[in-house]
Amino acid sequence: MKITNLIKTLFYKVKNNPTAINIIIVGAITVLVKFFGFYKEVIIAGEFGLSEILDTFLIALLLPGFINEVFLSAFNSVFIPNYIAEEKNNKNIGAFQSTSFMVTILTSLVFMGIAYLFTDVLLELFFAGHTSSYYELIILQFHYLLPCILIWGLTSLLSGLLNIYGEFTYSSLYPIITSLAMIVCVVFYREELGAGVLAIGMLIGSVLQLIFLTLIALQKQILKFALPDFKSSNAILMFKQVPAKVSSGFLTGLIPVTDLYFAAQLVVGSITALSYGMKIPAFFTTIFIIALGNVLLPYFSKLTIDDPEKSFKTLYLLNKWIFIVIMSVMVVASIFSTEIIALLFERDNFTADDTAIVSEIQIIYLIGVPFIICGNLFVKFLTSINKNAFMAYVSLGSMLLNIILDFILMNWIGLIGIALCTTIIQILKIFVFYNYTNKQKEIFIQ
């Protein structure tokens, strides 16, 4: 009887809580998006296995993806809280939008040039010792992925605008387009597109995503351009936060780069094995990070202005229950790790030996999932109050520790050690964020 009453109470609270409803909607859509993403991975695994084409694609994607995650997404993160502040205070959102789009376009073009000039250097420094055909495959795919930098920057900004105005359905659904485009290219046009099939599929999907979000933003009348104002107080604050956020993202982004570097020192296929070991943990992580992050960043940005005390209470309560629920799910997933990998990927060129290797890596990453999700909640909250400088220091410490542990653990237990290093760092980071947030609480609620 008590359990029934508890369920009814929870249902009533969720039903009357728009934020909770938005989180559930985004979570459900993200599950659908990830389903198509996993289906794409299943198709790719069956077609390529742990192969040279997949290894070179992941390397070719490394620099464009790194720029997107570190620089372009960082700008989007600081854009949201300061846009909300501009809307609440100065209400000159047209100028703020124009300023943000101009900065995004110029920044994207600059980084496209940097990526183009330094790719050869990157290959020589971090991925030396391979055949000429291996490098030719990387460069071929990189040229198709390079324009994605600009496309992803604009897409990220449009997605942020949709989140601010509560259009979470569209901002969560659009990644499905790239998965569908890549599936179509691999299944129907592999021979015609040749070795560049994966990169071309990603480029086509990225273009279609940008078109989709632009049409939605125009339909919802969200785009309101005016003459840019680079002297707006909130624009200035946003620009001041960008270096710290970029530094944080840059240093955090170096962690998977370091992992790939050490994995490349091992046998061919190690990079792909590490990638497949991340896919199930990334599935859970992405669902919760998108569902919670997309909704809670604008939510916290508004709440910390209106009711700071409530914002801290909400953060702690969410972290408590999310950690308990996610850790319980991860324990079950770890028990059936081998069966999950075999069911999803073991076919054609993906053998039982591949399954055994990937399964061990997956278990280690699964343990870190609750810490990643809860740590990300702290990151979103601290971003909403413009405390990005501290996160840059944390990222610096994490990156240095990752290099040390990668070297030690790889030499001790091989590829497993690289995965273990990542999980250890995620566990340590959440305790650092928790202590710092407690100090901010004392300041904000004085």
Side-chain angles (χ1 to χ4, degrees), residues 38-59:
F38 268 109
Y39 181 66
K40 174 200 70 179
E41 298 298 339
V42 169
I43 296 296
I44 292 174
E47 290 288 335
F48 300 103
L50 302 184
S51 66
E52 189 175 65
I53 289 181
L54 261 182
D55 268 11
T56 54
F57 171 72
L58 292 172
I59 294 173

Side-chain angles (χ1 to χ4, degrees), residues 180-433:
L180 292 173
M182 293 183 72
I183 290 170
V184 170
C185 288
V186 170
V187 173
F188 297 105
Y189 299 101
R190 181 180 176 183
E191 292 186 5
E192 290 84 352
L193 299 177
V197 60
L198 296 174
I200 293 172
M202 180 164 285
L203 175 59
I204 293 172
S206 299
V207 171
L208 293 176
Q209 285 180 174
L210 178 59
I211 294 172
F212 173 75
L213 290 184
T214 302
L215 292 175
I216 295 299
L218 289 172
Q219 181 187 2
K220 300 293 182 179
Q221 298 181 341
I222 289 174
L223 297 177
K224 301 173 182 178
F225 296 121
L227 288 175
D229 181 8
F230 294 94
K231 296 182 179 180
S232 163
S233 59
N234 290 305
I236 292 172
L237 179 59
M238 178 177 68
F239 294 141
K240 287 182 178 179
Q241 291 297 312
V242 168
K245 191 64 178 177
V246 166
S247 299
S248 175
F250 174 77
L251 294 167
T252 300
L254 284 178
I255 291 178
V257 175
T258 304
D259 292 346
L260 288 178
Y261 166 75
F262 283 104
Q265 312 308 308
L266 303 173
V267 298
V268 173
S270 295
I271 293 175
T272 306
L274 206 63
S275 174
Y276 277 114
M278 295 177 185
K279 292 194 184 298
I280 301 297
F283 173 78
F284 290 106
T285 302
T286 303
I287 288 173
F288 281 90
I289 286 179
I290 292 176
L292 295 169
N294 285 7
V295 176
L296 291 180
L297 179 55
Y299 173 77
F300 281 136
S301 297
K302 297 171 184 176
L303 191 59
T304 50
I305 295 174
D306 299 330
D307 190 347
E309 185 173 1
K310 182 180 178 181
S311 67
F312 282 93
K313 289 181 179 179
T314 303
L315 173 67
Y316 293 142
L317 184 63
L318 280 171
N319 267 293
K320 173 184 175 181
W321 286 107
I322 287 171
F323 185 86
I324 293 172
V325 172
I326 299 301
M327 182 57 80
S328 301
V329 174
M330 292 307 102
V331 169
V332 175
S334 297
I335 294 171
F336 297 99
S337 179
T338 301
E339 290 78 6
I340 292 171
I341 295 297
L343 176 65
L344 293 176
F345 302 120
E346 191 178 312
R347 55 182 56 81
D348 300 327
N349 291 322
F350 199 104
T351 66
D353 290 337
D354 296 334
T355 295
I357 295 170
V358 173
S359 175
E360 292 180 356
I361 296 170
Q362 177 178 264
I363 291 172
I364 296 171
Y365 282 129
L366 286 170
I367 295 170
V369 167
F371 297 94
I372 295 173
I373 293 171
C374 291
N376 187 264
L377 279 184
F378 281 111
V379 168
K380 295 296 183 184
F381 183 84
L382 293 173
T383 299
S384 73
I385 58 174
N386 287 315
K387 296 298 178 182
N388 296 294
F390 172 77
M391 290 185 284
Y393 291 118
V394 174
S395 298
L396 175 60
S398 299
M399 185 270 292
L400 295 175
L401 183 60
N402 186 76
I403 294 173
I404 296 169
L405 290 180
D406 263 348
F407 179 78
I408 294 172
L409 295 176
M410 184 197 73
N411 285 289
W412 179 31
I413 50 179
L415 191 60
I416 300 297
I418 297 175
L420 181 61
C421 170
T422 302
T423 296
I424 291 172
I425 289 173
Q426 295 299 336
I427 293 172
L428 294 175
K429 281 173 68 175
I430 194 170
F431 289 105
V432 174
F433 283 136

